[in-house]
DNA sequence: CAGTATCCGCAAGGATACTG
DNA sequence: CAGTATCCTTGCGGATACTG
Protein backbone atom coordinates (compact mmCIF):
# COMPACT_ATOMS: atom_id res chain seq x y z
CA UNK A 1 0.00 0.00 0.00
CA UNK A 2 2.72 2.40 0.97
CA UNK A 3 5.69 3.25 -1.21
CA UNK A 4 4.22 1.50 -4.20
CA UNK A 5 7.32 1.64 -6.39
CA UNK A 6 5.42 2.70 -9.49
CA UNK A 7 2.89 4.95 -7.88
CA UNK A 8 2.33 7.45 -10.64
CA UNK A 9 5.37 9.48 -11.42
CA UNK A 10 4.50 8.96 -15.07
CA UNK A 11 1.40 11.06 -14.54
CA UNK A 12 2.25 14.72 -14.99
CA UNK A 13 -0.31 15.70 -12.37
CA UNK A 14 1.10 13.42 -9.69
CA UNK A 15 2.84 15.15 -6.77
CA UNK A 16 5.85 12.86 -7.10
CA UNK A 17 6.27 14.09 -10.65
CA UNK A 18 6.13 17.68 -9.43
CA UNK A 19 8.84 16.89 -6.93
CA UNK A 20 10.99 15.28 -9.57
CA UNK A 21 10.59 18.26 -11.88
CA UNK A 22 11.72 20.51 -9.06
CA UNK A 23 14.97 18.72 -8.28
CA UNK A 24 15.75 17.79 -11.89
CA UNK A 25 17.23 21.16 -12.77
CA UNK A 26 20.78 22.29 -13.26
CA UNK A 27 21.62 23.42 -9.74
CA UNK A 28 19.32 21.99 -7.06
CA UNK A 29 21.24 18.77 -6.48
CA UNK A 30 24.51 20.65 -6.26
CA UNK A 31 23.21 23.15 -3.70
CA UNK A 32 21.76 20.33 -1.62
CA UNK A 33 25.05 18.46 -1.81
CA UNK A 34 27.05 21.53 -0.88
CA UNK A 35 24.96 22.06 2.24
CA UNK A 36 25.18 18.42 3.24
CA UNK A 37 28.23 18.97 5.42
CA UNK A 38 26.84 21.91 7.31
CA UNK A 39 25.81 25.54 7.28
CA UNK A 40 27.21 27.84 4.61
CA UNK A 41 26.96 31.50 3.78
CA UNK A 42 25.83 32.82 0.43
CA UNK A 43 29.28 33.65 -0.85
CA UNK A 44 30.68 30.37 0.41
CA UNK A 45 28.05 28.51 -1.57
CA UNK A 46 28.83 30.59 -4.62
CA UNK A 47 32.52 29.78 -4.40
CA UNK A 48 31.97 26.08 -3.81
CA UNK A 49 29.54 25.52 -6.65
CA UNK A 50 31.64 26.12 -9.71
CA UNK A 51 29.84 27.97 -12.47
CA UNK A 52 26.72 29.09 -10.62
CA UNK A 53 25.69 32.73 -10.86
CA UNK A 54 24.22 34.88 -8.08
CA UNK A 55 20.89 34.84 -9.80
CA UNK A 56 20.69 31.08 -10.08
CA UNK A 57 21.97 30.53 -6.56
CA UNK A 58 19.41 32.93 -5.14
CA UNK A 59 16.66 31.43 -7.25
CA UNK A 60 17.53 27.87 -6.26
CA UNK A 61 17.85 28.76 -2.58
CA UNK A 62 14.48 30.51 -2.59
CA UNK A 63 12.81 27.51 -4.16
CA UNK A 64 14.41 25.16 -1.66
CA UNK A 65 13.36 27.47 1.14
CA UNK A 66 9.76 27.51 -0.05
CA UNK A 67 9.74 23.73 -0.16
CA UNK A 68 11.11 23.44 3.35
CA UNK A 69 14.50 22.03 2.33
CA UNK A 70 16.75 24.79 3.59
CA UNK A 71 16.54 27.23 6.47
CA UNK A 72 17.65 30.81 5.99
CA UNK A 73 19.05 32.79 8.93
CA UNK A 74 19.83 36.48 8.76
CA UNK A 75 22.16 38.24 11.19
CA UNK A 76 21.87 42.04 11.25
CA UNK A 77 25.61 42.56 11.21
CA UNK A 78 27.17 45.57 9.50
CA UNK A 79 27.45 43.84 6.19
CA UNK A 80 24.54 41.49 6.62
CA UNK A 81 25.31 37.84 7.24
CA UNK A 82 23.09 35.11 5.85
CA UNK A 83 23.52 31.45 6.63
CA UNK A 84 21.84 28.55 4.90
CA UNK A 85 21.26 25.21 6.56
CA UNK A 86 19.51 22.04 5.50
CA UNK A 87 16.31 21.19 7.35
CA UNK A 88 15.67 17.55 8.33
CA UNK A 89 13.64 17.27 5.15
CA UNK A 90 16.53 18.71 3.18
CA UNK A 91 18.91 16.24 4.76
CA UNK A 92 16.73 13.34 3.73
CA UNK A 93 16.86 14.63 0.17
CA UNK A 94 20.61 15.03 0.47
CA UNK A 95 20.84 11.34 1.31
CA UNK A 96 18.92 10.43 -1.81
CA UNK A 97 21.03 12.76 -3.92
CA UNK A 98 24.22 11.28 -2.51
CA UNK A 99 23.14 7.95 -3.95
CA UNK A 100 23.05 9.56 -7.38
CA UNK A 101 26.39 11.18 -6.74
CA UNK A 102 27.87 7.86 -5.67
CA UNK A 103 26.51 6.21 -8.76
CA UNK A 104 28.00 8.93 -10.96
CA UNK A 105 31.37 8.47 -9.34
CA UNK A 106 31.29 4.69 -9.61
CA UNK A 107 30.22 4.60 -13.24
CA UNK A 108 31.65 7.68 -14.88
CA UNK A 109 34.38 5.73 -16.63
CA UNK A 110 31.90 3.11 -17.85
CA UNK A 111 29.87 5.91 -19.40
CA UNK A 112 32.91 7.50 -20.96
CA UNK A 113 33.82 4.11 -22.42
CA UNK A 114 30.31 3.62 -23.82
CA UNK A 115 30.48 7.03 -25.48
CA UNK A 116 33.74 6.10 -27.14
CA UNK A 117 32.51 2.82 -28.58
CA UNK A 118 29.18 4.07 -29.84
CA UNK A 119 28.27 2.88 -33.33
CA UNK A 120 24.95 4.18 -34.65
CA UNK A 121 24.88 1.47 -37.30
CA UNK A 122 24.70 -1.37 -34.79
CA UNK A 123 20.98 -1.04 -34.37
CA UNK A 124 20.25 -4.42 -35.95
CA UNK A 125 19.49 -7.30 -33.60
CA UNK A 126 22.05 -10.11 -33.23
CA UNK A 127 19.73 -13.04 -33.80
CA UNK A 128 16.13 -12.32 -32.77
CA UNK A 129 14.25 -12.86 -36.02
CA UNK A 130 11.11 -14.20 -34.42
CA UNK A 131 8.48 -11.53 -34.91
CA UNK A 132 7.10 -10.23 -31.61
CA UNK A 133 3.64 -10.90 -33.06
CA UNK A 134 1.79 -7.62 -32.90
CA UNK B 1 40.57 6.46 -1.90
CA UNK B 2 37.55 5.29 -3.82
CA UNK B 3 34.09 6.84 -3.58
CA UNK B 4 35.33 9.87 -1.74
CA UNK B 5 31.91 11.35 -0.95
CA UNK B 6 32.86 14.85 -1.98
CA UNK B 7 35.11 14.00 -4.84
CA UNK B 8 34.57 17.03 -7.00
CA UNK B 9 31.07 17.31 -8.32
CA UNK B 10 31.30 21.00 -7.52
CA UNK B 11 33.93 21.33 -10.19
CA UNK B 12 32.27 21.91 -13.56
CA UNK B 13 35.00 19.99 -15.33
CA UNK B 14 34.65 16.87 -13.18
CA UNK B 15 33.20 13.80 -14.94
CA UNK B 16 30.73 13.28 -12.12
CA UNK B 17 29.38 16.74 -12.76
CA UNK B 18 28.98 15.91 -16.44
CA UNK B 19 27.06 12.80 -15.50
CA UNK B 20 24.83 14.75 -13.16
CA UNK B 21 24.12 17.34 -15.85
CA UNK B 22 23.09 14.53 -18.16
CA UNK B 23 20.55 12.90 -15.89
CA UNK B 24 19.30 16.14 -14.36
CA UNK B 25 16.99 16.98 -17.22
CA UNK B 26 13.26 16.82 -17.57
CA UNK B 27 12.86 13.34 -19.01
CA UNK B 28 15.88 11.08 -18.41
CA UNK B 29 14.83 9.85 -14.99
CA UNK B 30 11.34 9.12 -16.21
CA UNK B 31 12.52 7.12 -19.20
CA UNK B 32 14.89 5.15 -17.00
CA UNK B 33 12.10 4.48 -14.53
CA UNK B 34 9.69 3.41 -17.25
CA UNK B 35 12.17 0.86 -18.55
CA UNK B 36 12.93 -0.47 -15.09
CA UNK B 37 10.31 -3.20 -15.31
CA UNK B 38 11.38 -4.49 -18.70
CA UNK B 39 11.56 -3.91 -22.42
CA UNK B 40 9.22 -1.42 -24.03
CA UNK B 41 8.52 -0.25 -27.54
CA UNK B 42 8.72 3.36 -28.63
CA UNK B 43 4.98 3.98 -28.61
CA UNK B 44 4.57 2.18 -25.30
CA UNK B 45 7.12 4.51 -23.76
CA UNK B 46 5.38 7.49 -25.24
CA UNK B 47 2.04 6.44 -23.77
CA UNK B 48 3.46 5.68 -20.35
CA UNK B 49 5.38 8.89 -19.92
CA UNK B 50 2.69 11.50 -19.69
CA UNK B 51 3.51 14.72 -21.50
CA UNK B 52 6.59 13.64 -23.43
CA UNK B 53 6.77 14.41 -27.14
CA UNK B 54 8.22 12.19 -29.86
CA UNK B 55 11.11 14.57 -30.25
CA UNK B 56 12.07 14.55 -26.60
CA UNK B 57 11.59 10.80 -26.28
CA UNK B 58 13.80 10.14 -29.28
CA UNK B 59 16.39 12.62 -28.09
CA UNK B 60 16.48 11.19 -24.59
CA UNK B 61 16.66 7.62 -25.83
CA UNK B 62 19.52 8.47 -28.20
CA UNK B 63 21.48 10.08 -25.41
CA UNK B 64 20.89 7.12 -23.12
CA UNK B 65 21.92 4.79 -25.92
CA UNK B 66 25.15 6.71 -26.50
CA UNK B 67 25.96 6.53 -22.82
CA UNK B 68 25.37 2.79 -22.71
CA UNK B 69 22.23 2.97 -20.56
CA UNK B 70 19.71 1.50 -22.97
CA UNK B 71 19.93 -1.07 -25.72
CA UNK B 72 18.01 -0.52 -28.95
CA UNK B 73 16.78 -3.51 -30.95
CA UNK B 74 15.20 -3.20 -34.39
CA UNK B 75 13.04 -5.90 -35.94
CA UNK B 76 12.47 -5.59 -39.71
CA UNK B 77 8.77 -6.29 -39.45
CA UNK B 78 6.27 -4.71 -41.85
CA UNK B 79 5.80 -1.69 -39.72
CA UNK B 80 9.18 -1.67 -38.06
CA UNK B 81 9.37 -2.75 -34.44
CA UNK B 82 11.84 -1.16 -32.06
CA UNK B 83 12.37 -2.31 -28.52
CA UNK B 84 14.26 -0.52 -25.80
CA UNK B 85 15.86 -2.30 -22.86
CA UNK B 86 18.03 -1.18 -19.99
CA UNK B 87 21.61 -2.36 -20.01
CA UNK B 88 23.20 -3.47 -16.72
CA UNK B 89 24.61 0.03 -16.43
CA UNK B 90 21.15 1.44 -17.03
CA UNK B 91 19.69 -0.80 -14.37
CA UNK B 92 22.20 0.43 -11.84
CA UNK B 93 21.13 3.98 -12.63
CA UNK B 94 17.50 2.92 -12.33
CA UNK B 95 18.23 1.74 -8.81
CA UNK B 96 19.67 5.11 -7.90
CA UNK B 97 16.74 6.92 -9.48
CA UNK B 98 14.27 4.75 -7.62
CA UNK B 99 15.75 6.10 -4.39
CA UNK B 100 14.83 9.59 -5.54
CA UNK B 101 11.41 8.37 -6.55
CA UNK B 102 10.90 6.71 -3.18
CA UNK B 103 11.96 9.88 -1.45
CA UNK B 104 9.53 11.94 -3.53
CA UNK B 105 6.72 9.60 -2.64
CA UNK B 106 7.54 9.57 1.05
CA UNK B 107 7.89 13.33 1.39
CA UNK B 108 5.53 14.85 -1.12
CA UNK B 109 3.01 15.86 1.52
CA UNK B 110 5.71 17.34 3.72
CA UNK B 111 6.78 19.49 0.79
CA UNK B 112 3.21 20.50 0.04
CA UNK B 113 2.80 21.48 3.69
CA UNK B 114 5.99 23.54 3.62
CA UNK B 115 4.80 25.37 0.55
CA UNK B 116 1.54 26.23 2.27
CA UNK B 117 3.15 27.67 5.38
CA UNK B 118 5.82 29.71 3.69
CA UNK B 119 6.24 33.22 5.06
CA UNK B 120 8.91 35.33 3.32
CA UNK B 121 9.00 37.71 6.29
CA UNK B 122 10.23 35.08 8.73
CA UNK B 123 13.81 35.46 7.67
CA UNK B 124 14.87 36.88 11.03
CA UNK B 125 16.68 34.53 13.40
CA UNK B 126 14.87 33.33 16.55
CA UNK B 127 17.58 34.18 19.07
CA UNK B 128 21.08 34.06 17.55
CA UNK B 129 22.33 37.58 18.17
CA UNK B 130 25.91 36.60 18.69
CA UNK B 131 27.78 37.91 15.69
CA UNK B 132 29.59 35.19 13.74
CA UNK B 133 32.62 37.44 13.94
CA UNK B 134 33.58 38.43 10.43
C1' DC C 1 27.93 40.84 1.95
C1' DA C 2 23.88 39.41 -0.01
C1' DG C 3 21.17 40.26 -2.58
C1' DT C 4 17.43 42.76 -6.40
C1' DA C 5 16.41 44.41 -11.06
C1' DT C 6 16.86 44.34 -15.90
C1' DC C 7 18.19 43.00 -20.37
C1' DC C 8 18.98 39.47 -23.53
C1' DG C 9 20.89 35.22 -26.11
C1' DC C 10 20.37 30.78 -26.89
C1' DA C 11 19.04 26.32 -26.54
C1' DA C 12 15.48 23.25 -24.60
C1' DG C 13 11.51 21.76 -25.95
C1' DG C 14 6.64 21.81 -28.11
C1' DA C 15 3.69 21.53 -32.54
C1' DT C 16 3.22 20.12 -36.99
C1' DA C 17 4.22 17.87 -41.30
C1' DC C 18 6.34 14.27 -43.65
C1' DT C 19 8.87 9.44 -44.51
C1' DG C 20 10.62 4.33 -44.80
C1' DC D 1 5.22 2.06 -36.21
C1' DA D 2 9.09 4.72 -35.37
C1' DG D 3 10.98 7.91 -36.36
C1' DT D 4 13.22 12.59 -39.12
C1' DA D 5 12.86 17.45 -40.42
C1' DT D 6 11.35 21.96 -39.64
C1' DC D 7 9.54 25.93 -37.47
C1' DC D 8 8.69 28.54 -33.56
C1' DT D 9 7.87 29.77 -28.72
C1' DT D 10 9.17 29.65 -24.01
C1' DG D 11 12.03 30.50 -20.32
C1' DC D 12 16.40 29.03 -18.34
C1' DG D 13 20.16 31.02 -17.24
C1' DG D 14 24.19 34.30 -18.04
C1' DA D 15 25.92 39.27 -17.85
C1' DT D 16 25.66 43.57 -15.99
C1' DA D 17 24.28 47.34 -13.06
C1' DC D 18 22.54 48.86 -8.82
C1' DT D 19 21.07 48.71 -3.47
C1' DG D 20 20.63 48.21 1.88
Amino acid sequence: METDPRWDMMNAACPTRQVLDRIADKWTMLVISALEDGTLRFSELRRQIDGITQKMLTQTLRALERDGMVDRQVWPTVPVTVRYTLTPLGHSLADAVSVIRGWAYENMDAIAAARGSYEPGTGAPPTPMATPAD
Side-chain angles (χ1 to χ4, degrees), chain A:
Chain A
M1 185 78 69
E2 51 190 341
T3 320
D4 176 19
R6 5 190 332 86
W7 196 57
D8 221 358
M9 186 172 278
M10 297 306 159
N11 184 346
C14 177
T16 58
R17 174 74 166 270
Q18 313 287 336
V19 171
L20 181 66
D21 286 347
R22 161 115 353 204
I23 67 176
D25 65 81
K26 203 176 181 186
W27 303 111
T28 297
M29 294 206 207
L30 290 175
V31 172
I32 290 287
S33 292
L35 288 173
E36 198 171 14
D37 300 324
T39 300
L40 286 178
R41 300 173 59 173
F42 187 86
S43 47
E44 291 172 332
L45 275 168
R46 184 145 69 107
R47 265 190 300 274
Q48 278 204 23
I49 305 173
D50 187 30
I52 199 169
T53 59
Q54 312 89 319
K55 180 186 176 182
M56 283 302 106
L57 180 54
T58 300
Q59 202 168 290
T60 304
L61 285 169
R62 291 289 176 277
L64 290 173
E65 198 190 349
R66 268 191 292 105
D67 292 353
M69 305 292 183
V70 306
D71 188 29
R72 182 174 180 265
Q73 305 280 353
V74 182
W75 273 264
T77 49
V78 189
V80 70
T81 303
V82 182
R83 307 178 55 186
Y84 292 92
T85 314
L86 286 185
T87 62
L89 183 62
H91 268 294
S92 70
L93 175 57
D95 290 342
V97 170
S98 80
V99 173
I100 296 286
R101 176 154 35 112
W103 180 89
Y105 181 75
E106 295 284 341
N107 301 98
M108 56 181 176
D109 40 355
I111 296 171
R115 272 183 211 177
S117 64
Y118 175 67
E119 303 158 34
T122 321
T127 23
M129 268 299 124
T131 42
D134 183 10

